[in-house]
Amino acid sequence: MTEDEFDAFYAAAFPRLVGQLYALTGDHGEAQDVVQEAFVRAWDRRRSFLADEAPEAWIRTVAMRLAVSRWRRARRWVDLVRRNPPADRVPGPGPEHTALVQALRTLPEAQRTAVVLHHLCDLSVEQVASETGSPVGTVKARLSRGRAALAAQLSAGPDAEPYGRDAIGARDDGDGRSAKESGRAR
Protein backbone atom coordinates (compact mmCIF):
# COMPACT_ATOMS: atom_id res chain seq x y z
CA MET A 1 0.00 0.00 0.00
CA THR A 2 1.47 3.38 -0.97
CA GLU A 3 1.38 6.43 1.25
CA ASP A 4 -1.48 7.96 -0.75
CA GLU A 5 -3.49 4.75 -0.57
CA PHE A 6 -2.84 4.52 3.15
CA ASP A 7 -3.93 8.17 3.65
CA ALA A 8 -7.16 7.52 1.75
CA PHE A 9 -7.75 4.32 3.73
CA TYR A 10 -7.12 6.20 7.00
CA ALA A 11 -9.54 9.01 6.08
CA ALA A 12 -12.28 6.52 5.23
CA ALA A 13 -11.76 3.97 8.03
CA PHE A 14 -10.77 6.10 11.04
CA PRO A 15 -14.23 7.53 11.87
CA ARG A 16 -15.90 4.16 11.40
CA LEU A 17 -13.37 2.37 13.60
CA VAL A 18 -13.57 5.03 16.29
CA GLY A 19 -17.36 4.57 16.36
CA GLN A 20 -16.97 0.82 16.73
CA LEU A 21 -14.35 1.11 19.48
CA TYR A 22 -16.40 3.77 21.23
CA ALA A 23 -19.20 1.22 21.48
CA LEU A 24 -16.72 -1.22 23.03
CA THR A 25 -14.96 1.15 25.45
CA GLY A 26 -17.66 3.68 26.24
CA ASP A 27 -15.00 6.41 26.13
CA HIS A 28 -14.62 8.44 22.95
CA GLY A 29 -11.12 9.66 23.80
CA GLU A 30 -9.95 6.14 24.60
CA ALA A 31 -11.46 4.88 21.34
CA GLN A 32 -9.60 7.54 19.37
CA ASP A 33 -6.35 6.69 21.17
CA VAL A 34 -6.47 2.96 20.51
CA VAL A 35 -7.54 3.38 16.86
CA GLN A 36 -4.75 5.90 16.33
CA GLU A 37 -2.23 3.53 17.92
CA ALA A 38 -3.48 0.72 15.67
CA PHE A 39 -3.01 2.94 12.61
CA VAL A 40 0.51 3.79 13.75
CA ARG A 41 1.28 0.08 13.93
CA ALA A 42 -0.31 -0.42 10.52
CA TRP A 43 1.78 2.41 9.08
CA ASP A 44 4.90 0.46 9.95
CA ARG A 45 3.49 -2.49 7.94
CA ARG A 46 1.91 -0.53 5.09
CA ARG A 47 4.05 -2.18 2.41
CA SER A 48 2.68 -5.63 3.28
CA PHE A 49 -0.83 -4.36 3.90
CA LEU A 50 -1.80 -4.85 0.26
CA ALA A 51 -1.41 -8.59 0.74
CA ASP A 52 -3.90 -8.54 3.59
CA GLU A 53 -7.43 -8.96 2.37
CA ALA A 54 -9.02 -6.97 5.17
CA PRO A 55 -6.76 -4.19 6.50
CA GLU A 56 -9.64 -2.59 8.37
CA ALA A 57 -10.31 -5.84 10.23
CA TRP A 58 -6.63 -6.03 11.15
CA ILE A 59 -6.69 -2.49 12.53
CA ARG A 60 -9.96 -3.15 14.38
CA THR A 61 -8.47 -6.29 15.96
CA VAL A 62 -5.33 -4.45 17.02
CA ALA A 63 -7.37 -1.55 18.41
CA MET A 64 -9.65 -3.91 20.33
CA ARG A 65 -6.67 -5.73 21.81
CA LEU A 66 -5.11 -2.42 22.81
CA ALA A 67 -8.37 -1.35 24.46
CA VAL A 68 -8.61 -4.63 26.38
CA SER A 69 -4.95 -4.34 27.46
CA ARG A 70 -5.54 -0.82 28.74
CA TRP A 71 -8.68 -1.97 30.55
CA ARG A 72 -6.79 -4.85 32.19
CA ARG A 73 -3.96 -2.55 33.21
CA ALA A 74 -6.43 -0.09 34.74
CA ARG A 75 -8.24 -2.91 36.52
CA ARG A 76 -4.96 -4.26 37.96
CA TRP A 77 -4.15 -0.78 39.21
CA VAL A 78 -7.57 -0.45 40.88
CA ASP A 79 -7.15 -3.88 42.49
CA LEU A 80 -3.71 -2.89 43.73
CA VAL A 81 -5.06 0.31 45.23
CA ARG A 82 -7.89 -1.56 46.90
CA ARG A 83 -5.50 -4.08 48.44
CA ASN A 84 -2.99 -1.41 49.47
CA PRO A 85 -4.98 1.75 50.11
CA PRO A 86 -3.00 4.97 50.29
CA ALA A 87 -1.99 6.06 53.75
CA ASP A 88 -4.28 8.37 55.62
CA ARG A 89 -3.81 12.01 54.91
CA VAL A 90 -0.64 13.37 56.37
CA PRO A 91 -1.41 16.18 58.77
CA GLY A 92 -0.16 19.61 57.79
CA PRO A 93 2.64 21.33 59.58
CA GLY A 94 1.98 22.25 63.17
CA PRO A 95 2.10 25.80 64.51
CA GLU A 96 5.68 25.35 65.74
CA HIS A 97 6.85 24.29 62.31
CA THR A 98 5.01 27.16 60.63
CA ALA A 99 6.48 29.67 63.08
CA LEU A 100 9.98 28.30 62.51
CA VAL A 101 9.65 28.51 58.72
CA GLN A 102 8.32 32.07 58.95
CA ALA A 103 11.18 33.03 61.25
CA LEU A 104 13.73 31.39 58.93
CA ARG A 105 12.36 33.42 56.02
CA THR A 106 13.22 36.63 57.85
CA LEU A 107 16.90 35.74 58.10
CA PRO A 108 19.40 36.88 55.50
CA GLU A 109 20.09 34.10 53.00
CA ALA A 110 23.62 33.35 54.27
CA GLN A 111 22.45 33.00 57.88
CA ARG A 112 19.40 30.95 56.86
CA THR A 113 21.59 28.61 54.79
CA ALA A 114 24.02 28.12 57.66
CA VAL A 115 21.25 27.48 60.21
CA VAL A 116 19.38 25.06 57.96
CA LEU A 117 22.48 23.09 56.96
CA HIS A 118 23.81 22.89 60.52
CA HIS A 119 20.62 22.31 62.52
CA LEU A 120 18.19 20.74 60.09
CA CYS A 121 20.60 18.79 57.86
CA ASP A 122 22.88 17.90 60.80
CA LEU A 123 26.08 19.04 59.10
CA SER A 124 29.06 20.04 61.21
CA VAL A 125 30.34 23.61 61.06
CA GLU A 126 33.22 22.43 58.89
CA GLN A 127 30.84 20.68 56.49
CA VAL A 128 28.68 23.81 56.28
CA ALA A 129 31.79 25.86 55.54
CA SER A 130 32.78 23.42 52.80
CA GLU A 131 29.26 23.36 51.37
CA THR A 132 28.91 27.14 51.28
CA GLY A 133 32.51 27.96 50.40
CA SER A 134 32.86 30.18 53.48
CA PRO A 135 35.52 30.17 56.20
CA VAL A 136 34.68 28.28 59.38
CA GLY A 137 34.72 31.49 61.44
CA THR A 138 32.21 33.10 59.09
CA VAL A 139 29.90 30.10 59.40
CA LYS A 140 30.11 30.27 63.20
CA ALA A 141 29.27 33.98 63.13
CA ARG A 142 26.32 33.34 60.79
CA LEU A 143 25.07 30.56 63.03
CA SER A 144 25.35 32.73 66.12
CA ARG A 145 23.58 35.68 64.53
CA GLY A 146 20.97 33.44 62.92
CA ARG A 147 20.17 31.68 66.18
CA ALA A 148 19.91 34.99 68.02
CA ALA A 149 17.53 36.36 65.37
CA LEU A 150 15.46 33.17 65.43
CA ALA A 151 15.24 33.22 69.22
CA ALA A 152 14.01 36.79 69.12
CA GLN A 153 11.49 36.00 66.36
CA LEU A 154 10.17 32.84 67.95
CA SER A 155 9.84 34.20 71.48
CA ALA A 156 8.14 37.42 70.33
CA GLY A 157 4.40 37.77 70.00
CA PRO A 158 1.49 38.16 72.42
CA ASP A 159 0.39 34.52 72.47
CA ALA A 160 3.75 33.04 71.51
CA GLU A 161 5.16 30.51 73.85
CA PRO A 162 8.90 31.07 74.28
CA TYR A 163 10.92 28.49 72.40
CA GLY A 164 13.97 27.08 74.06
CA ARG A 165 17.28 26.35 72.42
CA ASP A 166 16.06 22.85 71.51
CA ALA A 167 13.44 24.29 69.16
CA ILE A 168 16.10 26.01 67.07
CA GLY A 169 19.04 23.83 67.82
CA ALA A 170 21.57 23.71 70.57
CA ARG A 171 24.13 26.46 71.12
CA ASP A 172 27.39 26.07 69.19
CA ASP A 173 30.34 26.80 71.50
CA GLY A 174 32.64 27.67 68.63
CA ASP A 175 34.41 24.35 68.33
CA GLY A 176 31.96 22.92 65.80
CA ARG A 177 30.14 20.92 68.47
CA SER A 178 26.95 21.86 70.21
CA ALA A 179 26.87 22.49 73.93
CA LYS A 180 25.07 19.16 74.35
CA GLU A 181 27.81 17.30 72.47
CA SER A 182 30.63 18.92 74.42
CA GLY A 183 28.90 18.47 77.78
CA ARG A 184 28.88 22.22 78.52
CA ALA A 185 25.13 22.85 78.59
CA ARG A 186 24.06 26.24 79.95
Side-chain angles (χ1 to χ4, degrees):
M1 190 179 279
T2 67
E3 287 185 28
D4 291 335
E5 291 172 332
F6 190 86
D7 289 345
F9 169 64
Y10 176 85
F14 185 80
R16 189 171 42 250
L17 289 167
V18 168
Q20 293 167 2
L21 269 291
Y22 174 59
L24 175 74
T25 63
D27 182 342
H28 193 261
E30 182 73 14
Q32 287 178 324
D33 285 350
V34 294
V35 170
Q36 185 65 36
E37 177 65 27
F39 268 104
V40 167
R41 292 181 183 188
W43 175 259
D44 293 338
R45 301 169 183 242
R46 71 183 179 281
R47 303 224 191 289
S48 63
F49 239 43
L50 189 57
D52 291 339
E53 294 184 16
E56 190 171 330
W58 186 88
I59 290 178
R60 183 176 30 259
T61 301
V62 170
M64 289 173 74
R65 288 178 180 166
L66 287 168
V68 168
S69 293
R70 288 182 176 195
W71 179 79
R72 285 181 180 151
R73 192 175 310 123
R75 185 172 175 194
R76 279 194 308 265
W77 185 83
V78 168
D79 289 345
L80 177 68
V81 169
R82 282 186 183 151
R83 280 182 293 194
N84 303 316
D88 291 337
R89 294 193 98 193
V90 176
E96 300 87 16
H97 179 84
T98 304
L100 179 60
V101 170
Q102 285 177 328
L104 281 168
R105 288 181 179 161
T106 65
L107 296 179
E109 184 180 351
Q111 288 178 13
R112 182 175 54 242
T113 302
V115 169
V116 167
L117 289 175
H118 185 66
H119 294 292
L120 300 180
C121 298
D122 292 325
L123 297 181
S124 69
V125 172
E126 291 77 17
Q127 290 170 321
V128 173
S130 173
E131 185 97 11
T132 61
S134 303
V136 171
T138 302
V139 170
K140 289 179 182 180
R142 289 175 180 165
L143 286 169
S144 177
R145 291 183 189 123
R147 281 192 299 263
L150 283 175
Q153 286 277 336
L154 294 173
S155 63
D159 299 322
E161 197 176 292
Y163 291 84
R165 278 189 274 277
D166 290 337
I168 346 174
R171 181 176 60 84
D172 182 346
D173 284 346
D175 62 357
R177 298 184 305 161
S178 68
K180 288 181 190 174
E181 292 169 343
S182 63
R184 295 185 307 261
R186 285 189 181 183

